[in-house]
Structure formats: structure tokens, C-alpha cells
Amino acid sequence: MACDFKKSDIQGIYEIQPKVFGDNRGYSMETYNEREFIQAGLNIKFVQDNQSFSRKNVLRGLHFQKNHPQGKLIRVVYGDVYDVAVDLRYGSPSFGKYSGIILSGEKQNMIYIPEGFAHGFCVLSDTALFSYKLTDFYDPNGEGGLMWNDPLIGIDWESVCPGITKNANLSQKDMNHPAFSLENKYFDLNAKWIGK
């Protein structure tokens, strides 16, 4: 196989490590192979590719799509980011819990986050180029978000991104997301929106 798949403690999340073939001229690798993903239990159809560029201390998130939830295969082409997914599937044993991983252009690791999660990241390097494949199309009318530093979720941004609490470079929209609530059911176990 051209990729190794490692399951996270949170059901549905995988860290994926492509095999990188390189020499003094450079390298090549497969970033997605449908057959291998199906063999790993990930029978996914991707419909959209996105790319974003960010500078150090940019923090994006926590984002989700309500009526068209998106699974995401995420990688960093260059630079380093701390990538976080929060389980919003009501009834899941990890509801309200998060998984965080450093994605690195040097390591070339990836993460797959299924539908029903909020997602965010902060940039650790001077710049980072972020690329991801999506399982559904973007719906501007279905945008949802949660406060990036919500105390109930308790993401420990600071231990991985020192100084981010004071220096986070956030969009106006990301500054105004609501708090997480245990009473809002968000998604069901099949990632169908049932929240408010």
C-alpha cells in the first residue's frame, strides 16, 4: 500500500501517512488512492478540493456545515499546523471531545475527519499551504461554528501553539462563534443535522 492508516481514539478519524519516494532530485507520493481508502474502510466520494494559505498564528475555526456536512481529507503542502476536530455527533461516546494533530509539509501526514465534526487549525510555521478534499459542496447558507477557545471543549491550543491565546489572528466571523452546548444535539450519529 502507498499509505498507512492509523485510527484515532475518536471513531471515524484517521491519520494517514503516505509513502514518500525521494532522492536528491526531490520526491513523489500518492496523496489519494480510492482503492486503498476503500481497503482501509473509508468508502468516500470526494466532490470538491480546497486550498488555503495562512501566516503564523492564523487560527481558523471551529467550522462545520449544517445541512451539507463535509468529510475532509486534509494535508499541509508546506509549513506546519495544529489541526483539530471536535465530535458533534450526539450519542457518540466522544461527543464534545476533540482530537488534535500536527500536520507537517515535511512529514506529509494527512488526517481524515468525517462528517459531523467541527474543524479548526492554527499555523505554527511562518506560512502554511493547506489543502483538503471534501465529501460535499460548500453551502454558504449552512455555515456553523463554535468558539475556538470554548472552555467546555477545552482545546489545549497553548501547549502546541505557544502564545496563541494572546496572539491568535482570527477573522471577525471566527471571533463571534457561539459557545458549545451539551443541550444542542448538533448532528445525529449519521451526521444529519438535528441542532438549532
Side-chain angles (χ1 to χ4, degrees), residues 13-18 29 31-32 37 42 44 46 48-52 60 63 70-77 80-86 99 101-105 107-114 117-122 128-135:
I13 294 180
Y14 288 77
E15 181 181 4
I16 302 159
Q17 182 62 62
M29 65 178 185
T31 58
Y32 175 68
F37 273 64
L42 293 169
I44 304 162
F46 293 109
Q48 182 175 321
D49 283 11
N50 287 10
Q51 183 170 295
S52 70
R60 300 185 190 272
H63 304 146
Q70 297 170 314
K72 298 177 179 180
L73 177 62
I74 301 164
R75 69 188 187 96
V76 172
V77 180
D80 301 288
V81 306
Y82 181 50
D83 197 84
V84 173
V86 180
S99 176
I101 185 173
I102 294 175
L103 297 177
S104 164
K107 187 177 176 185
Q108 297 290 352
N109 59 330
M110 301 184 286
I111 188 170
Y112 176 70
I113 302 168
F117 283 73
H119 171 254
F121 66 91
C122 69
L129 184 62
F130 194 84
S131 175
Y132 46 110
K133 301 178 85 61
L134 302 166
T135 60

